[in-house]
């Protein structure tokens, strides 16, 4: 059957709770609520829902790992996510074929994993491409990692990076936002 809904439709799943933000990948969605809860739904073949398995979900499921954590933002690539919290924690999960999770290897991660690298760096924002990730900070630094097949990391080469790498050219620039497309920034 066709699950396409061609008109705006009321989303009934959260009752009176307010959605503070949402991020969409190719076929999955992450939403964080004013109740300090995070939910995910959609395709989950690579663990992009962060639920500890690879079972697709057609209705929102709570990622209980984040219970009580105040989420400031989340970005989704095609099949991966990066989320940061009020107390400076940064988490990643999902597809990792090009190192887009920034954890030093290319194995998929099906539950949120903290990136300790950012413990002392005040995160201002994140954005994901298809297979790469970018983080910028309040102390005017930009970090990139993941697939770099077309030079989309801005590092003057085409080598993938498995760990966050500072984009020195933008150091001390007041980066307010960065936009991304599946293959380039």
């Amino acid at each position: 059957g066709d699950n396409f809904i061609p008109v705006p439709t009321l989303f009934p799943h959260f009752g009176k709770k307010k959605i503070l933000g949402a991020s969409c990948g190719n076929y999955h969605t992450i939403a964080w609520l004013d109740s300090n809860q995070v939910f995910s739904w959609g395709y989950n073949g690579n663990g992009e829902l962060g639920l500890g398995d690879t079972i697709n979900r057609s209705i929102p499921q709570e990622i209980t790992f984040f219970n009580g954590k105040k989420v400031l933002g989340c970005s989704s690539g095609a099949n991966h996510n990066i989320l940061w919290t009020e107390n400076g924690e940064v988490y990643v999960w999902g597809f990792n074929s090009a190192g887009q999770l920034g954890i030093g290897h290319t194995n998929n991660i099906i539950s949120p994993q903290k990136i300790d690298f950012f413990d002392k760096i005040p995160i201002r924002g994140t954005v994901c491409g298809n297979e790469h990730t970018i983080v910028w900070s309040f102390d005017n630094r930009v970090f990139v990692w993941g697939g770099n097949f077309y030079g989309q990391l801005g590092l003057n080469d085409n080598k993938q990076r498995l760990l966050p790498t500072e984009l020195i050219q933008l150091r001390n620039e007041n980066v307010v936002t960065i936009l991304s497309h599946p293959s380039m920034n």
Side-chain angles (χ1 to χ4, degrees):
D2 187 3
N3 293 326
F4 178 69
I5 301 172
V7 295
T9 303
L10 180 63
F11 192 76
H13 299 287
F14 301 128
K16 295 194 183 291
K17 296 176 186 173
K18 291 182 181 164
I19 297 174
L20 297 177
S23 183
C24 301
N26 276 358
Y27 304 106
H28 76 284
T29 302
I30 308 293
W32 56 101
L33 282 57
D34 63 350
S35 58
N36 293 334
Q37 295 173 287
V38 177
F39 288 83
S40 62
W41 62 97
Y43 177 75
N44 195 32
N46 305 290
E48 48 267 77
L49 298 185
L51 298 169
D53 59 41
T54 56
I55 300 167
N56 298 338
R57 305 300 202 295
S58 60
I59 60 170
Q61 301 291 308
E62 184 175 6
I63 306 175
T64 57
F65 177 87
F66 293 114
N67 277 354
K69 294 181 186 289
K70 182 171 173 132
V71 173
L72 294 182
C74 179
S75 298
S76 299
N79 298 295
H80 76 287
N81 308 283
I82 182 168
L83 175 147
W84 77 100
T85 67
E86 181 178 56
N87 58 353
E89 298 171 329
V90 176
Y91 296 92
V92 294
W93 66 94
F95 194 51
N96 195 32
S97 66
Q100 58 264 47
L101 298 182
I103 52 178
H105 59 73
T106 57
N107 299 327
N108 295 348
I109 301 296
I110 61 174
S111 297
Q113 181 173 326
K114 187 172 182 269
I115 299 183
D116 294 328
F117 179 89
F118 291 105
D119 281 352
K120 305 268 190 249
I121 299 171
I123 301 304
R124 188 172 194 173
T126 64
V127 68
C128 299
N130 194 42
E131 292 185 337
H132 66 285
T133 305
I134 302 171
V135 169
W136 61 100
S137 67
F138 280 105
D139 61 355
N140 297 321
R141 295 190 287 166
V142 176
F143 299 90
V144 297
W145 63 89
N148 193 29
F149 314 107
Y150 307 103
Q152 60 264 49
L153 297 182
L155 297 170
N156 199 31
D157 63 37
N158 295 88
K159 297 181 218 165
Q160 74 180 23
R161 302 300 196 287
L162 301 181
L163 294 168
T165 303
E166 187 172 359
L167 189 58
I168 301 296
Q169 298 89 330
L170 294 179
R171 182 180 277 177
N172 297 321
E173 297 293 330
N174 186 22
V175 176
V176 175
T177 192
I178 297 175
L179 302 176
S180 184
H181 181 270
S183 294
M184 56 197 108
N185 301 310

